[in-house]
Amino acid sequence: MTTSADRAPLDEQIAQWRLYLRRRRAIHGPDVEELEGHLRDQMAVLTEAGLAGDEAFLIAVKRMGSLDALSREFAREYSERLWKQLVIAPEAGGELGKSTRTETLVVLSLAVAAAVAIKAPALFGLQLGGGDEPFYARNASLFVLPPLAAYFAWKRGVAVVTCAWLVLPFAAAAVVANIFPFGTGSDTEALTALHLPIALWLVVGVAYVGGGWFASGGRMDFVRFSGELFIYYVLIALGGGVLTAFTMMMFNAIDINAAWLAEGWLIPCGAMGAVIVGSWLVEAKQSVVENMAPVLTRLFTPLFTVVLLAFLGTMAWTGSPINLKREVLIAFDLLLVLVVGLVLYAASARDPQAPPDFFDRLQLLLVVSALVVDALALAAIVARISEFGFTPNRVAALGENLILLVNLTWSAWLYARFLRGRGSFAVLEQWQIAYLPVYSVWAAFVVVFFPLVFDYR
Amino acid sequence: MDFGKDLVAASATPLVLAILAEGDSYGYALIKRVTELSGGHLQWTDGMLYPVLHRLERHGLVAAKWGASESGRRRKYYRITKEGRAQLALQRQQWQVVNSTLRGIWMKACTA
């Protein structure tokens, strides 16, 4: 029935299907071959019965069942594969094995590159732990984020032109962070160190979605990635802590002080390399294992709601005002960021079609209590500014609080609408996603203009 | 007829073993045989057969070997092992107990 002319595109379709199957980490090369054999047998019978080639293909694929369900079954049967896959290239060679090995090599070289980057300034006399900490604090993100962006650019096959555009912000950041003559221990310098990573994280995001920042879906994936990376990073850091402790202990036992090894090499190089390796782990396992961030979100949303309500209650009862030291301001901003994060991750894991449930009401309560806390902090900052004038810290805190206030207010409004059945959840998700670049743009603004405006104070 | 997931999963092992007891076979032929034997009532999602086969292989109930198909492509053939036959005999007894129990209830329901 099939002529060779219409078999060629059919072979292409089968090749595509095979490719989809191969991406599932739980299904290995020989299994793919077996499944493809099945698909071809089925198609042969169907074409024999009079179906056209592409019709036979469609039916055969449909009968095979959903790939998600299939890979889940395989994952259940071969749970050991999932972890082995992360560290060892699969023993059955072929294309897949090769690309996994190449990726391992790329990741390891980039991790080493990040480690080298943080050690390189030492060659020029800038010692970590020798009074040059401000230099390292300003540049920390510049050691590790370019390799990370390079990894994603490589992985996603980003076009050369886009790569050039990705290099630009990093180069600009390197210039800005290093040519400003910051005063010793100045606030603007601390602000630069804090805000530069946030600004550059957007660039990593662009690399992560393969340059298509405005394509739908990509940004939410990047949000999920960021959360997972954070969790992996913490886990790796815990392991690193244990390694460091044992290193110190063992060398101490033979009366050699290994502090220089731990502080000068193990910790800084590990901290840099772990970002790359953690990202790779997140990339490698994302298709198989249930993501962790949404689970933590479910766990901590009620707890944070209780804490926020307790805080507000106590404040109302005692009437103590918010104390405005820099650490307190940062802590409050972080708290609000965390609430926004909880909303964001709850949104990322939620089925937009599902009707409102108890958890959504809890989310609204969390958002509203965070709003009240935010408004209180904002009032305290404004009062402080009107009394003592502008300082870089106060203005930075003011800006961040305003940005979060806008986000939380609109989120609360959308949540309320959703709970009353007047709007869909998808709108809330879109709002959160659309708002993401605002944080980075503000951070970039702080990095570039604050030192100039406040005269490097 | 729509069979529940659990029932399909539970019946898959004895069905696969019983068909392999008739002679060596491969994935696609197994599915065809199941459809045939059940008169088309039992329709498996094709892909789901393979994790089952691989599990049986891991437990040593079947053995697999790569051979060639009629068209010359590589194909994985499955053969029942001695342990597989023992397991089949055991499952057969168990299913007969289930079968006769249900039959007993339904007969009573009919005569009552």
Side-chain angles (χ1 to χ4, degrees):
Chain A
M1 286 300 290
T2 27
T3 62
S4 61
D6 56 51
R7 186 167 303 146
L10 206 57
D11 275 341
E12 212 165 274
Q13 276 181 312
I14 294 178
Q16 194 118 54
W17 180 81
R18 193 170 49 216
L19 204 69
Y20 274 130
L21 216 52
R22 288 212 161 163
R23 282 206 200 121
R24 312 288 162 148
R25 298 257 156 185
I27 307 178
H28 276 193
D31 305 339
V32 173
E33 196 179 343
E34 193 180 20
L35 289 168
E36 186 188 339
H38 183 109
L39 192 78
R40 284 179 185 274
D41 284 337
Q42 175 83 72
M43 284 171 62
V45 171
L46 288 171
T47 42
E48 209 118 293
L51 255 57
D54 49 347
E55 290 171 331
F57 175 74
L58 283 179
I59 291 177
V61 167
K62 178 103 180 48
R63 286 217 183 140
M64 193 60 89
S66 100
L67 291 188
D68 281 330
L70 191 57
S71 85
R72 218 169 16 246
E73 282 305 311
F74 266 94
R76 198 166 292 154
E77 176 54 24
Y78 292 105
S79 49
E80 85 284 356
R81 276 185 186 172
L82 307 180
W83 282 107
K84 213 162 66 185
Q85 190 96 37
L86 297 179
V87 266
I88 310 163
E91 56 274 39
E95 290 167 53
L96 183 72
K98 209 171 124 215
S99 76
T100 315
R101 256 193 299 277
T102 322
E103 178 160 7
T104 313
L105 274 178
V106 169
V107 166
L108 290 182
S109 353
L110 286 172
V112 170
V116 168
I118 199 172
K119 290 308 290 180
L123 294 176
F124 302 100
L126 288 159
Q127 292 300 335
L128 191 56
D132 291 311
E133 279 82 9
F135 167 80
Y136 284 95
R138 284 193 319 257
N139 287 289
S141 53
L142 285 164
F143 299 133
V144 67
L145 296 188
L148 185 59
Y151 166 58
F152 286 122
W154 172 80
K155 179 125 202 220
R156 307 277 189 263
V158 172
V160 181
V161 185
T162 318
C163 285
W165 280 108
L166 289 177
V167 171
L168 215 62
F170 285 121
V175 170
V176 168
N178 292 300
I179 60 160
F180 285 155
F182 291 106
T184 315
S186 63
D187 286 341
T188 45
E189 185 171 39
L191 286 173
T192 299
L194 281 173
H195 286 78
L196 197 55
I198 302 171
L200 292 178
W201 196 241
L202 183 70
V203 185
V204 174
V206 174
Y208 180 87
V209 295
W213 181 249
F214 296 100
S216 64
R219 285 192 208 182
M220 199 39 132
D221 285 343
F222 183 61
V223 169
R224 289 195 189 98
F225 162 79
S226 306
E228 297 294 300
L229 174 61
F230 175 73
I231 290 163
Y232 270 72
Y233 194 82
V234 170
L235 289 177
I236 295 176
L238 281 175
V242 174
L243 176 71
T244 311
F246 272 104
T247 311
M248 300 284 281
M249 184 274 286
M250 284 190 298
F251 279 95
N252 258 337
I254 52 171
D255 284 332
I256 292 170
N257 186 359
W260 65 271
L261 177 69
E263 283 159 22
W265 292 89
L266 219 54
I267 294 171
C269 294
M272 295 293 118
V275 175
I276 312 278
V277 173
S279 306
W280 172 50
L281 291 179
V282 174
E283 275 289 288
K285 60 115 238 183
Q286 66 180 5
S287 51
V288 192
V289 186
E290 195 64 38
N291 287 344
M292 217 31 221
V295 180
L296 291 180
T297 307
R298 289 249 156 185
L299 207 58
F300 280 101
T301 296
L303 296 175
F304 270 102
T305 314
V306 169
V307 169
L308 278 178
L309 289 175
F311 172 76
L312 286 174
T314 315
M315 240 185 104
W317 181 257
T318 60
S320 355
I322 296 178
N323 175 356
L324 280 180
K325 285 194 202 116
R326 186 204 296 164
E327 297 75 42
V328 178
L329 284 177
I330 292 174
F332 265 101
D333 279 343
L334 283 181
L335 177 72
L336 295 172
V337 168
L338 201 119
V339 171
V340 170
L342 285 176
V343 173
L344 202 54
Y345 284 106
S348 83
R350 196 181 187 289
D351 173 11
Q353 309 302 329
D357 58 11
F358 171 72
F359 192 75
D360 292 312
R361 280 169 220 289
L362 204 59
Q363 284 271 343
L364 179 60
L365 186 62
L366 176 72
V367 171
V368 170
S369 42
L371 257 178
V372 177
V373 172
D374 193 14
L376 286 172
L378 209 56
I381 295 166
V382 170
R384 189 66 172 242
I385 286 175
S386 58
E387 196 173 341
F388 299 103
F390 291 97
T391 68
N393 281 332
R394 285 176 209 147
V395 179
L398 182 68
E400 263 124 60
N401 269 290
L402 277 175
I403 287 173
L404 293 167
L405 189 74
V406 170
N407 183 343
L408 288 173
T409 311
W410 194 243
S411 295
W413 167 247
L414 289 175
Y415 246 121
R417 272 177 65 89
F418 167 64
L419 286 177
R420 276 179 295 148
R422 295 237 191 100
S424 78
F425 192 82
V427 181
L428 180 70
E429 192 180 322
Q430 277 157 14
W431 159 251
Q432 290 288 344
I433 294 295
Y435 206 73
L436 286 176
V438 174
Y439 308 118
S440 285
V441 169
W442 167 255
F445 180 80
V446 171
V447 169
V448 175
F449 292 105
F450 272 41
L452 299 172
V453 171
F454 291 102
D455 204 18
Y456 311 111
R457 261 188 289 153
Chain B
M1 214 183 302
D2 233 4
F3 286 84
K5 224 175 94 196
D6 293 338
L7 188 55
V8 170
S11 57
T13 306
L15 267 170
V16 167
L17 288 177
I19 294 170
L20 286 177
E22 295 175 348
D24 297 359
S25 189
Y26 57 96
Y28 181 68
L30 276 167
I31 294 260
K32 225 168 64 181
R33 190 87 181 101
V34 169
T35 315
E36 210 173 275
L37 284 169
S38 68
H41 288 308
L42 258 176
Q43 296 270 6
W44 285 353
T45 314
D46 291 12
M48 293 306 175
L49 171 67
Y50 291 93
V52 173
L53 278 171
H54 294 187
R55 196 187 65 234
L56 294 179
E57 189 186 348
R58 188 161 54 89
H59 290 314
L61 303 182
V62 306
K65 199 175 72 196
W66 283 94
S69 70
E70 307 84 47
S71 62
R73 253 182 307 104
R74 254 156 53 96
R75 181 185 276 163
K76 207 169 169 187
Y77 287 93
Y78 294 87
R79 178 174 60 76
I80 190 166
T81 61
K82 223 170 76 191
E83 291 81 17
R85 285 183 195 279
Q87 177 68 28
L88 177 61
L90 183 72
Q91 292 233 352
R92 188 172 168 172
Q93 285 171 0
Q94 292 170 344
W95 278 93
Q96 267 161 356
V97 171
V98 173
N99 186 18
S100 63
T101 312
L102 285 173
R103 206 180 277 254
I105 300 170
W106 286 327
M107 291 281 274
K108 219 158 52 192
C110 283
T111 50

